[in-house]
Amino acid sequence: MAHPLRGQQALAVNLGSSSLKITGFAREQNRTWKRLLYRNWPLPEADPEEIAELLAGSGIREDQLLCIAHRYVHGGAILPRSAVLDGKLLERLGSTAALAPLHNPPALQWMREFLRLYPSATQIAVADSGFFADLPEAARRYPLPAELVAEHALRRYGFHGLAHGAMWRRWCEITGRSRGRLITLQLGAGCSAAAIKDGKPLATSMGFTPLEGLVMGRRAGDLDPGLLLYLQQTAGLEAAALDDMLNRRAGLTALAGSDDMRTLLGRDDSEAKLAVDIFCRGVRKYIGAYLAELGGADALIFSGGIGEHQPRVRAQILAPLKPLGFPLDAAANASANSGEADIGTAGADIRVLPADEARELLRSAEQQLQGGDS
């Protein structure tokens, strides 16, 4: 007989490139989910047995779990949205490790650990690209030979989908609206932008992999592909060396020796100033493109470690955009360094909204359990 409280708890497992975040939820009598716990472990120090012991001490019981939802950055064509996680799916996902080398291999390892630790719990793999699964064809198609596109499932997948979806839903809750044109910015160690109309993404900056788009902490963002061919042919850089450069030694790190925006803002040298300038210019470029894509925007949303905690960066990004309808309230922006904030002047909807990825993971997992798409 099933435990009478079975299904009253859930776990959201969000594994990044350097940390493991676990959020526990408990269902209240009104069927809403209340946050029960949140823990963040640095990698690779996190220990599975210690984590299981801590979760048990916090009241998490396997026989009460509705599900364990796992964020998976890039499942390619194998995991376009979300799916029940078992040994067969885990084996198939092994072929996607190279699509996101900083994220997928450790995610596969920890999925395997959770299947071992909680063998009777229903576990769901949630594609972080799922929010962008239905991008318009003109936004997702690369102008490459059709046979290669079909054989290798080449398309713009987009990433940080959980964060962009969370920003959209929170904006709707705050404003009471269900329709609107949003430009959402997830600015952290990894960075991305999205254009969203009435809850449907029309464009996003990341592409086939998380390397495309904005300048990031250790990733360059948009590059001329001919530059990489040139380095192959003249500098002798093979695929492994290019992979290491593009994923670990580019971006802010290459420009100024640090991937920490706080450190760069605290420096007064030309390299740090240039790195911040290039970062802000890249974000502005996408805002401008998405204003054109959407035909204007009803709101501009900042999230992520930089987006939420660095007023100077927000101000530098937005200063030239004032004539386009985004005048910043300087005092409101300066004081907004933690939590939600409205930082636009009257009539300009500019917000800081921390993205609740854990709740998005749970929402997607519940939809999968109910037989629907996430």
Side-chain angles (χ1 to χ4, degrees):
M1 178 181 295
H3 193 283
L5 294 179
R6 187 172 181 86
Q8 304 307 302
Q9 295 180 348
L11 289 176
V13 180
N14 188 338
L15 191 134
S17 58
S18 61
S19 66
L20 172 64
K21 302 173 184 177
I22 298 179
T23 306
F25 293 92
R27 202 199 301 266
E28 300 188 295
Q29 288 188 352
N30 63 1
R31 308 295 291 172
T32 61
W33 289 100
K34 178 182 178 180
R35 196 182 299 269
L36 183 65
L37 65 92
Y38 170 78
R39 296 288 187 277
N40 187 353
W41 288 270
L43 296 178
E45 290 85 358
D47 179 80
E49 306 302 331
E50 290 180 6
I51 289 173
E53 184 176 343
L54 186 146
L55 292 177
S58 300
I60 297 297
R61 292 177 50 181
E62 185 173 5
D63 63 356
Q64 294 183 19
L65 286 171
L66 172 71
C67 64
I68 300 174
H70 298 264
R71 171 178 174 252
Y72 196 72
V73 166
H74 196 343
I78 293 174
L79 187 72
R81 299 178 190 271
S82 62
V84 174
L85 179 64
D86 56 18
K88 290 183 179 180
L89 178 59
L90 192 65
E91 184 177 353
R92 294 181 65 209
L93 287 174
S95 65
T96 68
L99 292 175
L102 298 184
H103 298 85
N104 282 4
L108 290 167
Q109 173 191 342
W110 278 95
M111 284 176 170
R112 192 173 294 109
E113 292 290 355
F114 272 88
L115 287 172
R116 178 181 65 82
L117 291 169
Y118 301 97
S120 70
T122 300
Q123 307 205 31
I124 307 292
V126 179
D128 194 32
S129 58
F131 183 65
F132 301 111
D134 295 324
L135 277 174
E137 186 173 6
R140 70 175 185 261
R141 175 68 188 268
Y142 284 110
L144 294 170
E147 62 273 15
L148 286 176
V149 170
E151 181 179 355
H152 299 284
L154 304 180
R155 56 158 288 175
R156 180 179 301 280
Y157 284 96
F159 304 94
H160 294 155
L162 292 166
H164 290 287
M167 283 184 263
W168 162 259
R169 265 175 269 282
R170 183 57 184 150
W171 181 80
C172 291
E173 291 172 358
I174 292 172
T175 62
R177 298 176 60 172
S178 60
R179 301 175 67 86
R181 299 165 299 172
L182 264 62
I183 297 173
T184 51
L185 303 169
Q186 175 70 10
L187 306 180
C191 300
S192 62
I196 304 172
K197 183 177 182 181
D198 301 338
K200 302 293 184 182
L202 300 185
T204 190
S205 58
M206 285 180 166
F208 178 70
T209 75
L211 285 171
E212 190 178 358
L214 305 177
V215 175
M216 307 174 221
R218 294 178 176 271
R219 286 169 270 177
D222 292 334
L223 287 173
D224 178 356
L227 182 153
L228 302 178
L229 294 174
Y230 176 82
L231 289 175
Q232 279 187 317
Q233 296 162 0
T234 64
L237 295 186
E238 300 297 337
L242 289 172
D243 179 273
D244 179 64
M245 179 187 73
L246 292 172
N247 278 295
R248 298 174 179 85
R249 297 191 295 110
L252 297 176
T253 298
L255 292 168
S258 174
D259 63 351
D260 190 330
M261 183 61 75
R262 294 167 298 183
T263 299
L264 298 180
L265 292 171
R267 287 165 45 181
D268 196 36
D269 57 278
S270 59
E271 289 83 3
K273 291 180 179 179
L274 178 62
V276 175
D277 285 347
I278 290 175
F279 179 90
C280 294
R281 182 178 180 273
V283 177
R284 268 198 309 275
K285 181 180 76 170
Y286 272 92
I287 293 174
Y290 291 168
L291 283 171
E293 182 76 28
L294 293 165
D298 297 304
L300 177 65
I301 312 297
F302 287 89
S303 195
I306 298 173
E308 295 168 34
H309 304 299
Q310 301 302 333
R312 283 174 56 189
V313 173
R314 295 193 299 260
Q316 188 168 335
I317 290 170
L318 293 179
L321 297 177
K322 184 176 179 179
L324 298 181
F326 292 105
L328 195 64
D329 183 319
N333 179 57
S335 63
N337 53 30
S338 179
E340 296 183 352
D342 186 345
I343 59 174
T345 61
D349 194 349
I350 309 172
R351 298 178 188 268
V352 178
L353 297 179
D356 193 342
E357 291 187 341
R359 203 168 291 276
E360 282 294 298
L361 273 169
L362 180 54
R363 185 194 66 82
S364 182
E366 280 196 291
Q367 285 194 336
Q368 174 63 36
L369 293 173
Q370 294 164 5
D373 290 332
S374 58

